[in-house]
Structure formats: C-alpha cells, structure tokens
Amino acid sequence: MKRTVCMVTSVLLVLAFLCACTQRETEPTWQTTLPNTGVTLSVAGGDVTESTTLLYPPVDGSAPPEEVCLLSVPAVATLTWEGVQAENVTVGFAYAWDEAYKDYRTSEPIEKVDYVPLDAEEGSLCYRFDTAYSFLITVTTEQGTDQFVLDCRRDI
C-alpha cells in the first residue's frame, strides 16, 4: 500500500511538471498588430527581442534591401495569428548575412519538420518553429502584406 501511494504521488508530480512546461510554451510572451494587414500576432515559448534588419532579395543582391521587423527568439517559438488562414501565411528561410538577412530560396521549409501547424481556435493560425533557423514570414490579406524575419537560432 505504501509503495502504491509513493508511485501515485510520483506520477502526479511528473504530470504537474509536464503541465507547467506546456503552459509556458503556449503563454504569449510578445504580441503586436501587424501594420499593413492589421493581423494580431502573438509569440510564445521564449523571450522575444524586437528590432529591425535589412532583408536582401534572393537573386544577385542588385535590388536594394528592404527594412523589415526582426523577431529574435532563441528558443522553440510558437506563433499565433488571429484572423488568417494557412493560405494567408507563407514561411520561407532567411539567411543571416553581414548583420542583415537574405531571402533564401534554394530550399523551402518543410511543414511538420521545420515548423508544425498546431490546433488553434476558430479564426486563428498557430505554428510551432522547432528548428534552430531563421525564417522569412509573409502575411498577406486584402488589406496588404507584412513581412518579418523570425530568428530562432540557438545553441542546441
């Protein structure tokens, strides 16, 4: 009997710990409204540092770079957009290059490998970015287009 009580107590403690970890990964740590689309974006899973960066086009670099928002999250990041569907969001790779980034189109991220769609409330879209890469994310609606770099690089 005493052994059963100890085992049940141990299982309950492990479950409580796992629930606490899951809650931290899904609680938003940063939120904004994207300026051109009006879409609400929340980031969970780690501390977010917001800044701007230059984004160079993918071809030969002859076109001028564009200044875009840079979200640095050195952890597994979960992004949630309110009011969009999967067809409104494009995920690509960005290559860190001389304190800026390049739109990297040699390969495309693979859904369920580089990022994982998660179940979300109706009218929301939720992706978890497990890999330690930089991503170029484009959100397009009838109101306009927003682009930003999500840098999830970290020591693993």
Side-chain angles (χ1 to χ4, degrees):
M1 175 74 172
K2 199 175 210 184
R3 187 174 186 180
T4 304
V5 169
C6 287
M7 188 182 307
V8 169
T9 303
S10 297
V11 169
L12 289 175
L13 286 173
V14 168
L15 287 174
F17 176 75
L18 291 174
C19 288
C21 290
T22 302
Q23 184 177 11
R24 186 189 182 301
E25 290 177 2
T26 59
E27 281 183 21
T29 55
W30 184 87
Q31 185 172 355
T32 193
T33 300
L34 300 175
N36 298 322
T37 58
V39 171
T40 300
L41 169 65
S42 300
V43 180
D47 293 328
V48 178
T49 303
E50 178 186 11
S51 60
T52 59
T53 190
L54 292 177
L55 177 66
Y56 287 85
V59 187
D60 62 2
S62 62
E66 178 183 348
E67 187 174 68
V68 297
C69 179
L70 169 63
L71 302 178
S72 297
V73 187
V76 173
T78 301
L79 275 61
T80 303
W81 295 269
E82 300 293 330
V84 295
Q85 301 298 317
E87 59 267 10
N88 301 107
V89 177
T90 304
V91 178
F93 287 125
Y95 175 74
W97 181 64
D98 279 346
E99 297 184 26
Y101 290 82
K102 272 189 144 178
D103 184 347
Y104 184 80
R105 296 194 184 166
T106 304
S107 64
E108 296 294 322
I110 300 170
E111 187 176 303
K112 297 184 181 175
V113 174
D114 296 307
Y115 67 98
V116 179
L118 302 175
D119 291 333
E121 295 179 16
E122 179 97 19
S124 296
L125 180 65
C126 189
Y127 289 164
R128 185 182 68 233
F129 292 84
D130 293 326
T131 53
Y133 297 141
S134 299
F135 298 93
L136 176 59
I137 300 175
T138 306
V139 180
T140 305
T141 65
E142 291 177 1
Q143 286 98 347
T145 300
D146 287 297
Q147 261 191 333
F148 63 92
V149 173
L150 173 67
D151 191 338
C152 295
R153 291 177 298 154
R154 61 196 179 276
D155 293 330
I156 51 173

